[in-house]
Every structure is written in structure tokens, then in C-alpha cells.
Amino acid sequence: MSTLDSKIPEGQLSEKWTRYKSSQKLVNPANKRKLDIIVVGTGLAGSSAAASLGALGFNVKIFCISDSPRRAHSIAAQGGINAAKNYQNDGDSIERLFNDTIKGGDYRAREANVYRLAEVANSIIDQGVAQGIPFARDYAGLLDNRSFGGSQVSRTFYAKGQTGQQLLLGAYSALSKEIKAGTVKMYERREMMDLVVIDGQARGIITRNLQTGELERWSSHAVVMATGGYGNVYFLSTNAMECNGSAAVQCYHKGAMFANPCFVQIHPTCIPVKGDYQSKLTLMSESLRNDGRIWVPKNIEDAKAIREGKLNPTDLKEEDRDYYLERRYPAFGNLVPRDIASRAAKERCDAGYGVGAGFAVYLDFKTAIERLGRDKIQERYGNLFQMYEKIVDVDPYENPMMIYPAVHYTMGGLWVDYELQTTIPGLFATGEANFSDHGANRLGASALMQGLADGYFILPYTMQNFLADKIHQPRVSIETKEFDEAEKSVRAKLESIMAIKGEKTVDTLQRELGHIMWEYVGMGRNAEKLTKAIPMLADLRKEFWSNVRVTGDMNSMNPELAKALRLADHIELAEIMAKDALQREESCGGHYREEYVTDEGEARRDDKNFMFVGVWEYKGEEQEPIMHKEELNYEFINVQQRNYK
Amino acid sequence: MDFTLKIWRQENQKAKGRFETYKIKDISPDCSFLEMLDILNESLVNKLSHPVCFDNDCREGICGMCGLYINGRPHGPDDAVTTCQLHMRKFTDGETITIEPWRAKPFPVIRDLVVDRTALDKMIQEGGYISVTSGGVPDGNAIPIPKHKADQAMDSASCIGCGACIAACKNASAMLFVGAKVTQLALLPQGKPEAAIRVQKMVAKMDELGFGNCTNTYACEAECPKEIKRSNISRMNLEFILAKIVSEETI
Ligand SMILES: Cc1cc2nc3c(=O)[nH]c(=O)nc-3n(C[C@H](O)[C@H](O)[C@H](O)COP(=O)(O)OP(=O)(O)OC[C@H]3O[C@@H](n4cnc5c(N)ncnc54)[C@H](O)[C@@H]3O)c2cc1C
Ligand code: FES
């Protein structure tokens, strides 16, 4: 299984998707009813896919980790969603969105996939409007836009600071309609525990009913992984508590390869850490950088005085402030891509200019409030300002916000080809769970775009192409030996965790994992740190399997047990993240190797040796995984050094 | 800060529940309410007992998953926040805090503080949507929508489906929840074609699932973490009457 065929259609970039659609295989309505699809995860990617596939007439089952699809992590997305509508007449186009996304990803994404994403993005906005999503509008009643990092046009559509909520509720409403129609069946409070592969094809899953602890078997003709990202490997991140990479690891164990695990996005504007009790970090949307200006004191003594509480930031004169992004990157200013803004914040704080407890910079709205008035700012960002005030207990209208980078998004994920199919036939991956479109760094407002593009407009075509060959394949029984074995191994795993009865709680071990990852596989990586991290992670894995303490029992609701299972997989994922980071001897996007920088301190890519996707194959317990390469050939784009100056 | 916690414990839906008392010490005022419960749970695990089950996910006030009845108020003593956004600085040192699950007949307890809120989804499934399928829709700018209407629709659409309105209501009425969805879609031109059927079906489902009637005390509005207005209920009533009287479509 070592050749990676990305199945990119022939032809000009702009013709590939049209060509694919016109030649793909179709399934007639009567046959669709005989074909079963399992979708795991109810975020934007999963809900939109299930709704669209159900509406086409397939038999869909969707599994939701919480009590309702509306809870999924996507609900928390704040700032907006991109599309190349060019409603602003500011020079936007599909080509430009494509170019920005490839460049933003530091030339580590696949051209054909990204072009298709840019191509279908406009339809998502139309779809959302038709669903009744109350996107922001201008006084003429037309759709409004804002700007996001990494682009010089205004192409981001939004619904206050709650864009993810509105888009997810749109997908949820489409899903609810199908549930009512009976084409989709929803199973709530279920967590996928394993993938069942029969004769080399994904044919079902094992779930655990989180309410009763029961293990259940489900069979199908194809399985869609829409289980989101793995940012919670770092323990503290902006991800929701239930986000986890466990399902992806299960697929990896069953033969799905894992691409670019080390590509993690650290978001520059999050509320800084307060104490050890902290359970997660809260994002302050990138959209704030439209109007907020980022700075630290120009003089190190002022920074010190502020940290000691002797000086108030509002008293600091303009000329004593260092708007370091505007200074370093005059062309993009505060709207440089996330990886660059994060590193710049870290650089200032490491140099002693940080405020708060030393690990924070200011995001200041003073100029914007003076220019636009408080009401306008409230209209644009009211809910974010409220959120900030509730957490920090400081009024951001009167004082600058304090922010610091935090783990936010994972560009890596299950490897998929152009059809979004993994290396296991019949297993598809969508949304943040796959690796496909964002290269080494994702631009703001393009995760929502990708999840929905995949679900509404891509999987309904590509899965049909796959399923057309399966119309004679009978439904498989859940009593086969493959299901027996999968359930048995899940049960054994649960039993062994319960039996350890060790000394350390899951949270304690999770914090230790987070600490190793943030310190050694975090924002600034180097060979020395990474070589240290790998044995530390192996030790942590041993410690988990000998010393974790989970109380309660297996046969009832037990969140500690659920967390422990995810942690076990996260430790394993952490190990391939570190290995992948070590092999990638270059800096690109969110992957910053301190040894590979330009004279000006910017990331230095090595296109000659590293213009590939690192694709990891599992080889068994205690075996070293193998890395394969998918070479990236840029046929249409002119590869450049990223420059935002 | 130190607290005494009186927490509802119940093994499962059929079991009889009871309050258990726990002491908790040295909590930072900047700690969130759920982080305080995390600390309690960690100490329970250390003492080999079963931690307190409570629902949560986003921990930033948007998913609607958390929801605790704290000192007799849904989401506790602060205004316009969810339980996960509540911070311990809103309590006084030494205080006794009573924590219960949502209490409403249509929300049976699953375990401890976790309740079953699938009834909310069932009401949406009755018609809380516009029946479009993927593709084949007009351009986003084809239908201009006056800004104030879009903004109003957005206010109604801000509902997070936490169920606080229902837990707060002595009749366990779901009128604010249903009203918000009916209003959002009735305000928009896209939602008009199905407006009459939608409101009738959703109201019928609400009754069928055992949610009570509105007797105009508006505890729902007072406790809504997203400040959804009671006018959504009036709008729903209006839509309902229009549907019954004017519309030819009845269910
Ligand atoms: C605070 C925040 C703000 C953001 N803002 C923006 C923005 O403005 N614009 C933008 O484009 N992007 C934004 N993003 C990123 C974007 O929200 C996510 O990348 C995107 O929503 C992911 O969608 P998804 O459907 O792939 O995954 P998710 O929404 O994460 O859904 C996956 C679901 O699967 C569940 N799951 C996991 N494992 C299992 C299992 N084993 N069994 C069952 N279920 C499982 C998860 O709990 C989750 O509910 C933001 C992210 C955050 C954290
Ligand atoms: S946990 Fe999401 S609203 Fe509280």
C-alpha cells in the first residue's frame, strides 16, 4: 500500500473539476436506497455531508458525540467564511482565492484540491442564504464582507462574531430536514471506537454509547470521517473539550495513512493562560485584526513597569508603542497570516517586551473606536467583547485586550486523494479531519469554507463515483468475524484501562502531554528539542498504560473513561507529530524550525528537498511507522518565497 | 476562595437522586465554574469515587451544551452568560452553592447533572428549517434583505438551544425556543413560503412532547444567556394565528 495515487484529473486546473463531474459514475435512485453510508461527526463537514447524501437518496447514519449536532465544535467559529464573490469589486476572483490559499499554506498544499475549493466556495454562500442564515448585510440589503489575514481583498462573509454558529445551524437544519424525511438516522451520544475493514474496504464502525457504556456495531458500504482536528493533543487549545483525534488514530491503525501530522496552527489572538486550573483557551477572532492594532511597549522598562502594575497601558504615548506588525510588514500590517503574527508575538515576549504575566501583547481598539464610534465596534464584535470581559474582568472598550498565541487548528490529518478518499477504499475524510487544502498554514475563514465545500458539493459527487461500483455488494452482517474482532479489541482496551487503577488522573497525564508538546513540539521547534520529545512521549505512553487512574465503571456514563481513551490515542498521535516535525528540516507555515530561518528571522523553506506531503503509515505496536512522500508538483502556480512586507 | 457545594447525584434515569455535600478550597476567583467542578472531580478521582457528570463542550458560551441550575437560577447568578462563562468571582468566599440539573418533565435526568434534551431537536425536525437541498439555489445577492430585518433575524438566530428558558419556566414551556426559530425564518423572505406550515407543526410537536403553556411570567427571557426577547413569543403567536386564519395550509 505504498503508492499514493492522488487521482488528480487531467487537464487545465480550471477544467479538472468540471471534467471529473461530467465523467464520474452515477447511481440511479432505486440503487441509492440500497447503499448505506456512515458519517461520524456532526460538525460542518459531517452535517453537510450527511444532509446532502441523504437528500440524494442514500441511506445515511450519522453519529454524534453529544446530545445534538448543533453542539459540534464548528459552532464556535467566530469570524467568517471566505468566498470569491467579488461583491466588493476589489479585484477578487477564483484565481486570487486559489493563489492566496496556496501561498498562505506556504506552498505545501495540492494545487488541484485548492483550486476546486476556491471554485465551489461561492455556492456555499448561496446555499447558506437559501437556508436562511442571517449573514451581515449593508444598508442596501446586500451581503457585507470583512477582511481576513493573508489577503488584500474583502471576501469574508460573516454573521456577527457567530459565523460558525449560523453556518452550523444551517447545516443542522438541512440535516434535521433529512432526519424528518427518514433518509438520515441520527445516533446521539455515540463515540466511534473502531473502524471495521472487510476485504480491504471500510465496512462499518464500532461505537460506544456514552450514556450506557454499551458497545454497538454498525455496517455500511462506505464510512465518512468528519471528526475534526487534533489540537487537543496540546491539552490547552481553542478547541472544544470533546474535540479529539482518536477516531483518526483508529483509522490510522487500520491502514489509513496520516499526512503532515506536524502541521499545527497556532493562532495569534487568544486570551492568555491564567492558571493551572485552566481547561481551555478562548479565541478572540482574527476578524478583530480588521480594526484592532497589535502592539507592545517600545521601551523594555515600560513593559516591565506595566507587568509590575506601575504603569497603565492607556497612559503610554503613541510614540512609546511598538506596532510591531505594522513596522515589520507594512503591506499587510496587522493582517499578516497567523503563523507570522504568532511568531512575531512570541519574539517580542521572549525579548522581554511582553505584558500581563510576560506572555501577552495588546490588541487595541482605541483608534478604531475614535474613527468609527463605539456603536459600530459593538455591532461588529459585541459578542467577542462581552466574552472577553466575562473571562478577564476588564472592559475592552476602555482598555486594550491582552492576547497571546494558542493552538487552534490542525492542517495535518488523514491523507486523502482528490476524491477525499483515504488509503482505505470506502473510507473518506472531510473537514478538519483530512489534510487536503491548507498546506502548512490555513488562512482565516477558510476552514468553514473547506468543511462545507467538502460536505455540500464534493463528497456527494466523489462518493457516488465510489458507490456506483458497489450496487451489487450486499449489505454486510454485523456478525462477521471482523466485527467480532473489532469489538473484542475495543472491549479489551476498555478493560485494561479500568484495570490499571494507578496513581495519576487523566487530567494530570493530559497536562503532562500538553506540556511536552507545547515546549518541545510547539511554536519554535528544533532538532534538539524534538529528539528529546520523542523518548519523553514514549515514556508518557508507558506511564499511561501502567499508572492512569479511572474510577467508576465501563457500563454507564463515565466521562473519565472516555477522556482516558482519547488520551491514549493522543499520546500516540503526539509521537508521529514529533517524528514528522523532526524529519521536516525546513521552516514552512506553522512549522517553524529554529535552525532554518532567513537572515531577517523569517521562515526558510526548502523546496528542493521538502516540497512533499509527509504521509505516515502505521506498522504495528512498538514498530516504527514509515513515512511516504507525496511529491507536490506545482504546474500552474508560480512558487515564491512568501512575502507580506 | 472556599465553597461548600451541594450537588445533585443520581446514578441513572430510574435511580432516586439525592444531594451530596462537598467542600472545596483555594479556588481562584478567575476560575470558571466548570473549572471549579473539574477540580472537584479530580479530587473525587483521587479519592477513588465517581466524578460528578455534567455536560459541556465549547466552554465559551456558544454550543449550549452546559447548563446547570445554580442556586435556583439556570446558568447561575451572572446575567447573559452560560454556566461555562460564569466565574467564581461572582460568588462570595465561604458560600454554599447548590447545583442541580435542569428540572423539566421533557428533560429526564441521564446521570447527575446531565439531562436528555433531545426534545429540542425533535421540535426543529418538525419544520425549523427552509426545505432546500444542496445546490440549485439563487445567487446570495439575488434577494436583498433590509439590514434591520437581517439583524433582527440574527438576534433570534442567536439561540444556543441550551434549554435554560424551559428550565426557568414553571410550566416548562418551550415558547421562547420555538418562537426564536419561527421568528428568524418568518422575518426572511426565504422562509416565507413555509411559514404557515412551520409554525403549526412546531407548535403541535411542542405540545405533544409535554412542554407547557406560556403564562406570561417571562422567566425565560430573564434567564436566557443570549438575551432572546419575549417578542419572539408574540411573533410566534401572531404567525400561528395568521396561519390558522389566513393561510389555506393547515396541518
Ligand atoms: C474558536 C474557533 C474559532 C474559529 N473561527 C473560524 C472562522 O471564523 N472561520 C473559519 O473558517 N474557521 C474557524 N475555525 C475553524 C473551524 O471552526 C473548524 O476547523 C471547523 O469548524 C471544523 O469543522 P469539522 O466539521 O471538520 O469538525 P468539528 O466541527 O470539530 O466536528 C467534528 C465533531 O466530531 C466529533 N468527534 C470527534 N471524535 C469523534 C468520535 N470518535 N466519534 C464521534 N464523534 C467524534 C467532535 O467532538 C466534533 O463534534 C475556528 C475554530 C475555533 C476553535
Ligand atoms: S459549554 Fe458550550 S455553552 Fe457552555
Side-chain angles (χ1 to χ4, degrees):
Chain A
M1 204 197 288
S2 59
T3 49
L4 293 163
D5 179 6
S6 52
K7 297 207 206 125
I8 296 170
E10 293 295 311
Q12 277 297 313
L13 202 49
S14 57
E15 290 164 6
K16 287 182 194 289
W17 182 231
T18 315
R19 204 186 262 218
Y20 177 91
K21 285 192 292 184
S22 56
S23 59
Q24 65 156 110
K25 287 171 268 180
L26 296 173
V27 182
N28 84 10
N31 283 329
K32 282 192 188 118
R33 281 192 287 278
K34 293 189 223 149
L35 292 164
D36 304 335
I37 298 172
I38 284 174
V39 179
V40 189
T42 59
L44 285 170
S47 293
S48 60
S52 309
L53 292 161
L56 282 175
F58 292 105
N59 244 314
V60 182
K61 292 189 184 74
I62 186 163
F63 294 85
C64 174
I65 202 163
S66 47
D67 66 344
S68 163
R70 66 183 299 154
R71 315 282 182 219
H73 166 60
S74 295
I75 200 92
Q78 302 169 346
I81 176 166
N82 287 333
K85 286 280 195 187
N86 195 28
Y87 284 157
Q88 307 302 329
N89 195 30
D90 56 0
D92 204 4
S93 62
I94 290 171
E95 274 67 30
R96 202 176 280 276
L97 175 55
F98 160 68
N99 264 297
D100 285 350
T101 309
I102 289 270
K103 176 182 170 197
D106 220 355
Y107 305 94
R108 291 293 175 267
R110 204 187 277 151
E111 264 183 337
N113 285 56
V114 177
Y115 193 89
R116 175 178 62 186
L117 174 65
E119 210 176 336
V120 303
N122 286 345
S123 307
I124 301 170
I125 305 304
D126 303 339
Q127 191 66 32
V129 170
Q131 288 166 344
I133 294 177
F135 284 118
R137 292 188 179 254
D138 60 21
Y139 286 102
L142 301 176
L143 292 161
D144 196 19
N145 290 115
R146 52 169 56 142
S147 304
F148 255 57
S151 94
Q152 287 170 315
V153 296
S154 245
R155 63 158 74 98
T156 306
F157 294 80
Y158 65 102
K160 279 199 172 161
Q162 289 137 264
T163 318
Q165 179 196 31
Q166 295 311 315
L167 288 166
L168 184 62
L169 292 180
Y172 160 75
S173 66
L175 183 63
S176 298
K177 168 179 165 283
E178 295 308 321
I179 292 173
K180 179 69 187 171
T183 58
V184 179
K185 268 186 113 68
M186 219 264 297
Y187 298 89
E188 74 273 353
R189 294 195 191 266
R190 299 302 206 289
E191 181 162 359
M192 173 173 163
M193 291 281 117
D194 207 357
L195 177 75
V196 180
V197 179
I198 301 179
D199 297 332
Q201 183 187 339
R203 290 308 300 268
I205 61 169
I206 306 288
T207 59
R208 181 158 177 271
N209 182 327
L210 296 174
Q211 201 164 319
T212 61
E214 231 171 308
L215 294 181
E216 303 156 325
R217 306 169 176 201
W218 312 93
S219 73
S220 65
H221 293 90
V223 177
V224 181
M225 301 301 306
T227 45
Y230 50 91
N232 276 346
V233 167
Y234 288 82
F235 184 56
L236 286 183
S237 82
T238 62
N239 286 192
M241 305 302 285
E242 300 285 279
C243 285
N244 71 91
S246 185
V249 173
Q250 294 154 27
C251 297
Y252 167 68
H253 285 170
K254 287 286 165 92
M257 293 195 212
F258 205 104
N260 295 335
C262 81
F263 286 168
V264 176
Q265 177 164 82
I266 316 260
H267 197 295
T269 57
C270 305
I271 301 180
V273 180
K274 298 164 297 184
D276 335 320
Y277 50 81
Q278 189 124 10
S279 57
K280 76 157 280 185
L281 294 170
T282 303
L283 176 77
M284 286 288 108
S285 166
E286 176 159 311
S287 59
L288 294 169
R289 289 199 266 145
N290 270 281
D291 291 309
R293 297 176 69 196
I294 295 180
W295 64 275
V296 291
K298 200 175 269 175
N299 304 312
I300 207 155
E301 303 77 39
D302 288 343
K304 190 158 170 276
I306 289 179
R307 286 199 296 272
E308 288 166 355
K310 292 180 191 149
L311 181 68
N312 202 328
T314 47
D315 295 336
L316 213 62
K317 289 207 277 306
E318 266 313 294
E319 58 270 27
D320 293 328
R321 301 174 175 202
D322 176 17
Y323 295 94
Y324 56 87
L325 289 177
E326 297 171 27
R327 168 170 59 79
R328 285 179 64 180
Y329 308 98
F332 281 68
N334 292 295
L335 284 172
V336 289
R338 293 176 177 174
D339 53 330
I340 293 178
S342 289
R343 278 197 292 277
K346 181 175 187 290
E347 187 277 327
R348 284 292 78 192
C349 293
D350 289 349
Y353 293 88
V355 294
F359 292 99
V361 300
Y362 290 123
L363 176 61
D364 200 332
F365 293 87
K366 188 167 136 270
T367 332
I369 292 175
E370 281 164 8
R371 182 165 43 96
L372 302 162
R374 186 186 158 116
D375 288 351
K376 194 77 203 164
I377 295 298
Q378 185 161 8
E379 183 191 321
R380 284 188 188 161
Y381 315 110
N383 70 318
L384 298 171
F385 276 51
Q386 188 236 19
M387 217 192 258
Y388 183 87
E389 182 169 3
K390 292 288 176 194
I391 294 175
V392 186
D393 210 20
V394 170
D395 178 3
Y397 292 99
E398 299 296 329
N399 301 280
M401 283 184 179
M402 279 200 281
I403 48 149
Y404 197 69
V407 171
H408 179 60
Y409 181 90
T410 47
M411 281 74 70
L414 291 170
W415 184 89
V416 290
D417 59 20
Y418 188 73
E419 298 187 296
L420 306 183
Q421 189 163 208
T422 67
T423 47
I424 301 178
L427 181 70
F428 293 77
T430 169
E432 195 173 336
N434 74 25
F435 89 106
S436 75
D437 296 347
H438 307 295
N441 172 58
R442 174 176 71 79
L443 287 186
S446 49
L448 303 180
M449 168 170 79
Q450 182 225 334
L452 291 176
D454 290 357
Y456 286 136
F457 303 114
I458 299 169
L459 282 177
Y461 293 90
T462 61
M463 287 191 76
Q464 206 169 157
N465 191 43
F466 170 81
L467 289 166
D469 291 336
K470 308 292 170 208
I471 52 176
H472 299 299
Q473 190 172 54
R475 292 200 156 104
V476 36
S477 153
I478 53 169
E479 301 303 334
T480 63
K481 71 171 195 314
E482 289 86 353
F483 275 97
D484 288 346
E485 275 163 17
E487 186 182 322
K488 217 172 98 193
S489 77
V490 172
R491 194 175 301 282
K493 193 168 169 187
L494 288 163
E495 281 165 355
S496 56
I497 289 178
M498 294 304 304
I500 299 169
K501 297 192 175 14
E503 296 291 327
K504 285 195 177 170
T505 63
V506 180
D507 279 358
T508 308
L509 290 168
Q510 214 148 25
R511 281 202 183 87
E512 286 177 22
L513 172 62
H515 177 78
I516 299 174
M517 292 303 284
W518 182 248
E519 293 300 324
Y520 298 86
V521 196
M523 238 192 300
R525 306 162 171 182
N526 61 44
E528 195 192 327
K529 288 198 239 177
L530 292 166
T531 8
K532 271 196 197 140
I534 293 167
M536 285 167 95
L537 291 166
D539 289 347
L540 188 67
R541 177 155 49 94
K542 288 196 198 91
E543 163 129 53
F544 174 90
W545 286 105
S546 58
N547 199 23
V548 73
R549 171 182 291 185
V550 176
T551 54
D553 64 282
M554 281 169 54
N555 305 317
S556 64
M557 179 175 259
N558 188 348
E560 284 296 310
L561 179 56
K563 277 196 298 191
L565 282 162
R566 295 172 198 164
L567 175 60
D569 289 335
H570 279 180
I571 298 175
E572 197 171 331
L573 198 45
E575 294 184 62
I576 56 168
M577 289 163 78
K579 286 175 186 162
D580 190 42
L582 183 62
Q583 68 77 22
R584 195 167 275 282
E585 294 176 336
E586 63 163 349
S587 292
C588 62
H591 170 68
Y592 188 73
R593 284 280 301 258
E594 286 156 354
E595 309 97 307
Y596 308 102
V597 291
T598 64
D599 295 341
E600 291 156 319
E602 302 292 343
R604 184 156 52 86
R605 268 194 348 248
D606 178 355
D607 289 345
K608 200 159 144 269
N609 296 305
F610 290 94
M611 200 176 254
F612 63 77
V613 181
V615 191
W616 294 81
E617 182 184 2
Y618 181 71
K619 283 298 191 189
E621 233 172 286
E622 301 299 329
Q623 303 287 319
E624 274 300 304
I626 295 181
M627 194 192 75
H628 304 270
K629 293 179 185 175
E630 180 199 338
E631 299 291 343
L632 293 165
N633 301 312
Y634 288 99
E635 280 180 68
F636 302 94
I637 211 152
N638 179 15
V639 178
Q640 298 166 332
Q641 204 57 39
R642 275 196 316 175
N643 181 6
Y644 292 97
K645 296 205 168 179
Chain B
M1 299 172 90
D2 300 345
F3 302 100
T4 303
L5 306 172
K6 278 180 65 188
I7 303 182
W8 184 258
R9 302 297 310 256
Q10 181 175 339
E11 264 77 69
N12 54 54
Q13 198 175 325
K14 298 205 185 74
K16 215 168 152 307
R18 68 206 176 273
F19 279 106
E20 296 267 353
T21 306
Y22 306 93
K23 297 260 184 223
I24 187 156
K25 282 194 187 336
D26 294 329
I27 297 293
S28 156
D30 287 334
C31 188
S32 78
F33 197 82
L34 297 185
E35 284 164 351
M36 184 275 294
L37 288 179
D38 290 342
I39 295 171
L40 171 73
N41 275 346
E42 191 142 11
S43 74
L44 291 177
V45 174
N46 280 327
K47 285 186 215 141
L48 295 175
S49 27
H50 202 296
V52 179
C53 291
F54 60 91
D55 266 337
N56 71 100
D57 198 1
C58 72
R59 294 208 176 186
E60 52 186 68
I62 193 74
C63 74
M65 188 73 179
C66 64
L68 301 175
Y69 218 74
I70 303 163
N71 288 344
R73 282 187 70 183
H75 296 304
D78 200 359
D79 289 328
V81 292
T82 53
T83 303
C84 60
Q85 291 178 295
L86 179 65
H87 283 75
M88 298 317 291
R89 63 179 92 94
K90 295 287 166 187
F91 296 86
T92 46
D93 193 16
E95 193 175 338
T96 297
I97 307 173
T98 308
I99 312 170
E100 296 167 81
W102 276 177
R103 302 265 187 216
K105 207 172 83 217
F107 293 161
V109 172
I110 292 174
R111 181 168 200 153
D112 299 338
L113 304 170
V114 177
V115 299
D116 181 351
R117 282 173 294 192
T118 44
L120 299 176
D121 279 352
K122 295 201 177 98
M123 291 188 283
I124 297 291
Q125 284 156 17
E126 274 318 286
Y129 44 75
I130 295 170
S131 302
V132 286
T133 47
S134 309
V137 298
D139 183 84
N141 259 350
I143 327 161
I145 300 172
K147 181 169 167 22
H148 72 276
K149 287 245 167 159
D151 289 348
Q152 254 179 298
M154 180 64 211
D155 289 341
S156 300
S158 305
C159 169
I160 57 171
C162 63
C165 48
I166 294 153
C169 175
K170 62 182 174 4
N171 309 322
S173 166
M175 299 276 266
L176 192 63
F177 173 77
V178 176
K181 189 45 79 184
V182 166
T183 304
Q184 176 204 338
L185 298 179
L187 281 166
L188 299 171
Q190 308 92 299
K192 287 274 193 287
E194 294 168 283
I197 286 289
R198 174 181 308 117
V199 66
Q200 295 177 76
K201 281 192 173 168
M202 288 184 80
V203 168
K205 193 70 185 180
M206 182 169 84
D207 294 342
E208 181 198 317
L209 291 168
F211 291 99
N213 253 318
C214 172
T215 46
N216 308 323
T217 29
Y218 301 120
C220 53
E221 182 187 65
E223 298 297 359
C224 174
K226 297 293 144 184
E227 304 182 299
I228 307 270
K229 300 277 175 298
R230 67 175 80 167
S231 55
N232 287 277
I233 299 181
S234 323
R235 175 82 194 213
M236 178 176 76
N237 288 333
L238 177 72
E239 292 289 328
F240 189 76
I241 294 166
L242 283 175
K244 287 288 183 201
I245 302 174
V246 185
S247 166
E248 284 153 17
E249 285 183 292
T250 45
I251 55 164

